[in-house]
Amino acid sequence: MRSCGEFLNKQLICISIKYVRWFFEAPNRLLLYYFYTYLDQKTENIEKFKIKSPGEKMLTIVIPTYNRGDILTKNIDVIIANAVGANILILDNCSTATTQEYIELNDRVKKLANITYIRNDVNIELRGSIYKALEIVETEYALFLSDEDIPMPNISDLFSDFLKKNGSFSAIRPSIMSSTNDVIYAEYPTTIFEKFNGIGPFGLNGNYISGQIYNAYFMRERNLINKARDASYMIPDYTHLLMNMLCAAVGRTAFMSTPYVQKKDVAYVQSIGDPESHASFYTGPYSYGMRCNQFLGLRDALLLAYGGEINKKNISLFYSAYGNLCYKYAHLLIMVQGKSFLKNNLNLQLVAISFYHFALASICSFPYAGSVRGQIETHLKSTLNKFLKEVGAGSLSIS
């Protein structure tokens, strides 16, 4: 028969062994706990980047606005009616004019569950509002609408049908309806670009931001918003083109032939930013100096999207995109702003010659530039001569 002391000693040994085992197993348990918690969080992250089910809203119409409360108030009824099935986010960039209209607009939309009005404490410029919206929207996709435009009817259903048919995208560029019904302002034939293929063709088209769609979840996951913010000094006037290139470098992009927005107050917008006005000749995004700055910014944005360097793998893609950039700005300078230059006593032939040398100088020190310079020269001369002929300004004489 065991004594009481022997019994207690045995129990103490068993208890000690149990807790020693627990002590050594506890870190493993802790590791397993954190591992499974990580997996749960990872699953949530993966799930939230998927296209939402048909019963959930997947689109937010973002309206960055500044000093146009009167215009926005006039169009808000149509915007709400056409945006059924989508959320609406109005971002007032600390407006200093038409403030009473914004107050009235805010009071009105407070009663509507799908509309949010936010007034920035300070003016963060258009690109700042774009970044902010992409960081705070709760839907997967965000469509940017200029504050003088309206969305097309049933835009949410149109977009949902497109995604069901074609899958998810990092960025999408729909066509734009003009202020006259059934007349297209900017038309983009439906084209889908797989990852990396759309940097040049998708990234360089569409100076007008209205209608531009981004996958906000995708951009957050890939840190594209911060990348665009860090490089926004390159092209502050058209930051969405920079974002389009960054999106195209890592995800699918698409043009859509279907218009998603309609330009409305064209006369009002042109009165403050007409490419042919005298004011636009001297200052703003339409001036010759700013066009040159934009050109260099887009050159650098292309380089950034192609990985920050030109190598044997991307040489043809980069210089092909650069050729498209030359075509784009030759068209802007001669075809779009030629009348403004003529009105201000500039010789279009000399403007064309100036741009020709400027475009060649912009790549002379780039890797492999010598092997493609001849092709770029020939293409650019042909393009400029074509445009000069169309506007009745003769042709180039470049030795």
Side-chain angles (χ1 to χ4, degrees):
M1 186 173 178
R2 292 181 296 174
S3 67
C4 181
E6 289 176 330
F7 175 78
L8 288 174
N9 284 336
K10 189 172 183 179
Q11 291 301 311
L12 286 171
I13 291 170
C14 290
I15 291 171
S16 298
I17 292 172
K18 175 181 178 182
Y19 281 100
V20 167
R21 182 182 299 161
W22 181 89
F23 178 79
F24 283 107
E25 288 180 350
N28 291 334
R29 286 176 179 162
L30 196 60
L31 286 173
L32 286 172
Y33 168 78
Y34 283 119
F35 176 69
Y36 287 118
T37 301
Y38 169 78
L39 285 182
D40 290 340
Q41 292 174 343
K42 197 70 175 175
T43 301
E44 288 180 8
N45 288 338
I46 292 171
E47 288 297 322
K48 80 175 184 178
F49 288 109
K50 290 182 179 178
I51 295 176
K52 300 293 184 292
S53 65
E56 297 176 314
K57 292 178 181 177
M58 64 177 67
L59 181 66
T60 296
I61 295 175
V62 179
I63 309 175
T65 183
Y66 179 69
N67 287 354
R68 293 186 189 172
D70 51 344
I71 298 292
L72 186 54
T73 300
K74 184 173 69 173
N75 292 333
I76 194 65
D77 286 334
V78 179
I79 293 172
I80 293 172
N82 290 358
V84 171
N87 289 335
I88 299 173
L89 171 62
I90 300 172
L91 276 179
D92 176 2
N93 203 6
C94 197
S95 294
T96 57
T98 65
T99 52
Q100 183 58 40
E101 285 85 351
Y102 283 118
I103 292 171
E104 294 171 0
L105 180 64
N106 184 28
D107 290 339
R108 178 180 175 188
V109 302
K110 281 179 182 177
K111 306 170 186 177
L112 304 174
N114 68 318
I115 304 181
T116 302
Y117 174 94
I118 296 176
R119 177 180 167 84
N120 295 331
D121 293 332
V122 296
N123 189 315
I124 57 177
E125 300 186 342
L126 174 60
R127 61 183 183 273
S129 290
I130 293 171
Y131 304 143
K132 180 175 181 177
L134 290 170
E135 289 171 333
I136 67 176
V137 292
E138 297 180 355
T139 56
E140 185 170 4
Y141 290 90
L143 179 148
F144 286 88
L145 182 74
S146 293
D147 57 5
E148 74 272 8
D149 296 343
I150 62 172
M152 297 299 289
N154 302 314
I155 187 172
S156 181
D157 290 340
L158 288 172
F159 185 57
S160 179
D161 290 344
F162 179 81
L163 292 184
K164 288 175 185 176
K165 181 179 178 181
N166 298 288
S168 62
F169 294 87
S170 60
I172 302 169
R173 183 74 194 177
S175 296
I176 302 172
M177 185 73 73
S178 74
S179 57
T180 303
N181 290 331
D182 301 325
V183 176
I184 301 296
Y185 167 76
E187 186 171 11
Y188 306 103
T190 298
T191 310
I192 293 174
F193 303 96
E194 296 303 322
K195 182 175 70 174
F196 206 71
N197 293 339
I199 294 175
F202 182 79
L204 288 173
N205 278 287
N207 284 11
Y208 194 55
I209 190 173
S210 202
Q212 179 70 53
I213 301 172
Y214 292 108
N215 187 324
Y217 290 173
F218 180 89
M219 294 189 74
R220 293 174 203 164
E221 181 190 36
R222 298 301 184 94
N223 198 34
L224 297 182
I225 302 170
N226 286 329
K227 286 182 180 178
R229 182 184 282 116
D230 291 343
S232 63
Y233 65 89
M234 294 180 181
I235 185 73
D237 293 322
Y238 301 121
T239 191
H240 62 288
L241 297 182
L242 167 63
M243 294 199 302
N244 287 353
M245 293 179 197
L246 295 177
C247 285
V250 294
R252 302 173 75 223
T253 50
F255 288 128
M256 296 171 55
S257 60
T258 304
Y260 271 28
V261 302
Q262 181 175 18
K263 291 171 67 69
K264 291 301 289 182
D265 288 274
V266 179
Y268 173 83
V269 175
Q270 285 190 340
S271 69
I272 59 174
D274 183 357
E276 296 183 15
S277 71
H278 285 286
S280 293
F281 174 77
Y282 294 104
T283 61
Y286 303 132
S287 66
Y288 182 76
M290 284 303 297
R291 287 304 193 196
C292 291
N293 289 343
Q294 294 162 15
F295 181 89
L296 289 178
L298 288 172
R299 176 204 64 179
D300 293 344
L302 283 172
L303 187 61
L304 178 66
Y306 279 116
E309 64 177 3
I310 303 171
N311 52 49
K312 291 182 179 180
K313 292 182 179 180
N314 65 21
I315 176 175
S316 61
L317 290 171
F318 174 81
Y319 283 113
S320 175
Y322 187 78
N324 291 336
L325 175 61
C326 292
Y327 183 94
K328 175 186 179 77
Y329 273 79
H331 182 271
L332 288 172
L333 291 171
I334 306 302
M335 299 298 294
V336 176
Q337 293 168 240
K339 291 181 180 179
S340 173
F341 293 150
L342 290 172
K343 283 196 300 185
N344 288 275
N345 301 313
L346 277 183
N347 183 293
L348 275 188
Q349 285 190 343
L350 294 180
V351 168
I353 292 173
S354 169
F355 177 69
Y356 170 83
H357 289 294
F358 176 78
L360 293 178
S362 298
I363 56 160
C364 63
S365 62
F366 278 27
Y368 308 103
S371 63
V372 298
R373 180 185 173 96
Q375 292 177 320
I376 293 176
E377 286 180 351
T378 301
H379 175 74
L380 190 50
K381 281 182 185 178
S382 174
T383 298
L384 289 168
N385 276 321
K386 172 188 173 185
F387 292 154
L388 287 171
K389 183 178 180 181
E390 289 184 18
V391 298
S395 60
L396 288 179
S397 177
I398 301 175
S399 57

